[in-house]
Amino acid sequence: LVADAAVLPVLHAAGMRVLSEESGWTGPADAEVTVVLDPVDGSTNCARGIPYWAISLCALDADGPCCALVQNGATGARYTAVRGHGAHLDHVDIAPASTTEVERAVVALSAWPPVPLPWRQFRALGSAALALCDVAAGHLDGYLDGHADQHAPWDYLGALLVCREAGAPVVDADGRDLAVADADARRQL
């Protein structure tokens, strides 16, 4: 709530509508840009002192996600993306790993899938936004939601644009659109 209260006035002063995990819809309903915000993605990690949690913001215009920031609150590592201009980690271009065989892959999980894949190793890291960004940067080979409809847009939208701009595909298990600003939407990544 503290992080939410710090960010909202800045976004509102810029005339943006905001959909936040913590405060819902705020700002002008007719704004040309909507920011989807998760003030602390990985809040359990944050509360327990595990250095893997982030603020995640994604600005959407009439054409969808246009710019994003996912910043690790513990380390300061900053992932950014602007539609059509690539993705970066601390101002350095990023790209996904070239791994194509699941048997060689290191995969992040949000929950154990019903049918385990024969990956090389897996990690349960606790922040969907950071894990997806780590896929975009090639630190991880993939990310998998083990349970259906687990993540809301604020959990993944910032990282979605980072992945898209880096060249890492992200899909919903049921083929639904991921670029939605809907507080009730849930997806399986």
Side-chain angles (χ1 to χ4, degrees), residues 37-136:
L37 165 67
D38 191 340
V40 182
D41 184 59
S43 55
T44 300
N45 286 355
C46 179
R48 291 184 167 243
I50 299 168
Y52 202 79
W53 54 275
I55 184 170
S56 177
L57 300 101
C58 184
L60 296 95
D61 61 15
D63 296 322
C66 59
C67 65
L69 165 73
V70 178
Q71 183 166 338
N72 185 316
T75 68
R78 179 181 289 198
Y79 290 95
T80 56
V82 175
R83 185 174 56 223
H85 294 282
H88 305 89
L89 170 55
D90 295 331
H91 306 289
V92 176
D93 292 351
I94 58 174
S98 60
T99 306
T100 58
E101 300 169 5
V102 71
E103 295 82 7
R104 300 179 54 83
V106 177
V107 177
L109 304 174
S110 65
W112 198 256
V115 178
L117 298 173
W119 47 66
R120 180 175 157 212
Q121 292 186 15
F122 71 91
R123 304 285 184 267
L125 298 167
S127 168
L130 282 177
L132 285 167
C133 286
D134 282 338
V135 171

Side-chain angles (χ1 to χ4, degrees), residues 4 37 45 54 64 99-100 105 145 147 160 182:
D4 195 59
L37 165 67
N45 286 355
T99 306
T100 58
D145 275 349
H147 291 240
L160 175 67
D182 178 351

Side-chain angles (χ1 to χ4, degrees), residues 140-163:
L140 294 167
D141 299 308
Y143 177 83
L144 176 67
D145 275 349
H147 291 240
D149 298 343
Q150 181 169 324
H151 285 101
W154 45 73
D155 295 317
Y156 65 80
L157 268 177
L160 175 67
L161 186 60
V162 171
C163 285

